[in-house]
Amino acid sequence: MTYITRAAAAAGALLAAAGLLAAGPARAASRDILPGNWLYLTVTKGDARSSDTRGALLLCDPPQGHTRAAEACTELAAAEGDVGRIPAKNVFCPMIYAPVTTHARGHWNNRTVDFEETYTSPCVMRARTGAVFALDD
């Protein structure tokens, strides 16, 4: 079973356990699915068609989802939920092409978030997105 399949199964189990996938009338807005600020995060190593994908559900009320959830939630709060607005860190990254594609989908302060970006290496990804996509830590 791949990481994305496990992550999707875990997210489905979480939603089912919360009673959010039960049969019944359709919800008025997708923000009702999970309370508070949350993002489903994935990092795919290699090109976008690679099967080497890791994922996590980041919840920020309280912070949980991966080992650096508190730091990721703090960075997202400062950027108003916009991953692209997280200040880039001044680091030197080796010029080795090892692309990674990030994707964040969810809700922040009652707004839909859908962020996707491909970086030339994991080092560049960490410099630009802080702890948000630190799924391997």
Side-chain angles (χ1 to χ4, degrees):
M1 187 180 283
T2 65
Y3 287 106
I4 189 93
T5 305
R6 284 188 218 151
L14 176 67
L15 292 173
L20 300 173
L21 294 180
R27 299 209 179 262
S30 61
R31 74 182 180 291
D32 295 335
I33 292 175
L34 288 174
N37 296 325
W38 63 274
L39 296 175
Y40 182 70
L41 308 166
T42 59
V43 177
T44 303
K45 293 180 181 177
D47 64 22
R49 298 174 304 271
S50 171
S51 64
D52 188 4
T53 300
R54 297 181 191 267
L57 180 63
L58 175 66
L59 303 170
C60 288
D61 301 316
Q64 53 189 321
H66 61 74
T67 56
R68 295 177 62 192
E71 185 180 353
C73 291
T74 299
E75 291 171 344
L76 284 164
E80 298 178 5
D82 185 349
V83 179
R85 290 184 54 203
I86 293 173
K89 292 171 182 55
N90 242 353
V91 298
F92 292 100
C93 292
M95 293 184 65
I96 298 171
Y97 184 70
V100 291
T101 299
T102 60
H103 193 199
R105 184 179 357 202
H107 287 275
W108 196 273
N109 293 338
N110 296 320
R111 289 181 297 119
T112 299
V113 173
D114 192 5
F115 173 86
E116 185 171 357
E117 187 71 39
T118 299
Y119 300 96
T120 56
S121 71
C123 178
V124 173
M125 174 195 74
R126 286 187 299 272
R128 301 255 176 91
T129 64
V132 174
F133 291 102
L135 304 182
D136 291 334
D137 291 353

